[in-house]
Amino acid sequence: MSAIQEMVRHLEKMGKISDEQFIVEMLKNREHLGSTGLGKGVAFPHGRSLAIKQLSVLFARSSGGIDFEALDGKPTKIFFLILAPSEEGADVYLALLSELISLIQKPSKLDKLMQVKDYPSLIDIFGGNED
Amino acid sequence: MREEFRLLIGLQDLDIMIKEVKDKATSQELKSMGFKLTGLEELQEARHEIAARIPVALLNRYEKLAKRYKLAILPVSGDKCLGCFVKLPTSFFSSAYSHELVTCENCGRLLYILRFNQ
Ligand SMILES: [Zn+2]
């Protein structure tokens, strides 16, 4: 099972999307446009679809890292999957995407994300304002 | 859900993506975040492949609606069409339609009832 499929399946189980296959197809197409693996071990697969209930972000980590055809050629260890309903404009998810990308530019935040073990500590990383 | 409807929804998802890339402001924003948007031709090729598998009459209907509205196919939320906000007849929610695309009698958009876990 691909990383994308694994993440999408999780969101389907949680009732955030209505059809795994629609979303997997849409995300694969998005990767054809250009890898969302932006380097530094982080990828931001994203997109809009009719089969998405509400704006959702899924955080996933692979300790060994996987080949996601990242721009720097390095394995991807952290994924932020961002999904938005098709009837919403692009602005909402673009703003979220931009915020997450600025977050990982901070080396201390990125280090912490690479180690994070549970949801409360993940939320701490977003909320904490050191550096 | 019928295969042709699945394909049509996939086509709309792809059209949304293609529109984003073609929109200068959106693509500029994505590029400034570091995304490389070099595969537009591949997306258009994928669109072509999906479109070729949809019955012509249904595809034509979609294309016509897509020209008129931002989204030709909409999810149903509550008891209203999200396009024109007209209340849908109760018959619409009978199980017969639960896996179908149905036409809004007021605006003509295609509607799909989303099913979620929980
Ligand atoms: Zn309507």
Side-chain angles (χ1 to χ4, degrees):
Chain A
M1 186 163 43
S2 72
I4 281 185
Q5 196 163 17
E6 202 173 329
M7 290 187 281
V8 169
R9 188 157 294 178
H10 194 73
L11 286 175
E12 188 180 35
K13 275 186 198 149
M14 291 177 70
K16 302 290 184 194
I17 60 163
S18 81
D19 191 303
E20 176 185 322
Q21 219 39 51
F22 279 133
I23 309 301
V24 169
E25 278 307 310
M26 181 274 288
L27 291 169
K28 278 186 185 164
N29 281 323
R30 173 60 190 84
E31 293 306 313
H32 289 150
L33 181 61
S35 175
T36 60
L38 293 185
K40 294 183 183 169
V42 194
F44 299 88
H46 61 265
R48 290 190 282 161
S49 167
L50 185 76
I52 297 167
K53 187 183 189 177
Q54 65 199 97
L55 183 67
S56 304
V57 183
L58 181 111
F59 171 82
R61 204 180 60 209
S62 152
S63 38
I66 59 165
D67 179 12
F68 206 64
E69 294 177 30
L71 301 179
D72 61 2
K74 291 186 178 150
T76 299
K77 294 186 171 177
I78 286 177
F79 293 87
F80 285 102
L81 171 61
I82 300 151
L83 298 178
S86 50
E87 65 275 18
E88 263 179 26
D91 298 4
V92 183
Y93 92 82
L94 286 176
L96 186 60
L97 195 52
S98 165
E99 226 166 279
L100 289 170
I101 291 172
S102 349
L103 181 89
I104 63 126
Q105 305 302 329
K106 298 174 183 160
S108 69
K109 297 279 189 189
L110 184 56
D111 281 352
K112 282 182 186 165
L113 283 171
M114 293 282 181
Q115 314 289 331
V116 73
K117 289 265 179 342
D118 51 34
Y119 186 68
S121 38
L122 179 67
I123 293 305
D124 269 355
I125 299 174
F126 293 119
N129 51 10
E130 73 268 52
D131 84 69
Chain B
M1 178 178 238
R2 279 206 262 159
E3 181 63 12
E4 61 206 62
F5 294 152
R6 296 188 64 86
L7 290 168
L8 201 62
I9 291 173
L11 190 75
Q12 174 167 279
D13 284 351
L14 207 45
D15 279 344
I16 291 171
M17 208 181 291
I18 291 171
K19 231 186 249 174
E20 279 186 15
V21 185
K22 286 186 170 172
D23 179 78
K24 263 194 182 153
T26 308
S27 66
Q28 211 43 54
E29 201 172 342
L30 283 165
K31 282 177 192 165
S32 73
M33 293 180 211
F35 294 103
K36 303 264 179 283
L37 308 173
T38 49
L40 181 58
E41 268 175 41
E42 273 190 67
L43 289 194
Q44 274 158 336
E45 185 54 39
R47 188 199 193 277
H48 191 74
E49 274 171 32
I50 295 176
R53 290 163 59 202
I54 298 171
V56 178
L58 183 63
L59 181 66
N60 286 344
R61 211 168 128 212
Y62 167 81
E63 302 283 21
K64 234 186 196 171
L65 286 167
K67 268 191 198 123
R68 192 176 345 155
Y69 303 120
K70 226 196 273 177
L71 293 171
I73 315 168
L74 282 173
V76 175
S77 168
D79 60 354
K80 291 188 176 70
C81 165
L82 277 183
C84 67
F85 300 102
V86 156
K87 199 166 181 267
L88 300 162
T90 43
S91 61
F92 184 90
F93 298 94
S94 73
S95 58
Y97 290 131
S98 63
H99 299 289
E100 300 285 333
L101 282 181
V102 196
T103 305
C104 170
E105 284 174 16
N106 185 54
C107 69
R109 286 181 180 89
L110 295 163
L111 304 173
Y112 172 51
I113 303 174
L114 291 176
R115 306 255 173 238
F116 297 97
N117 280 332
Q118 288 167 356

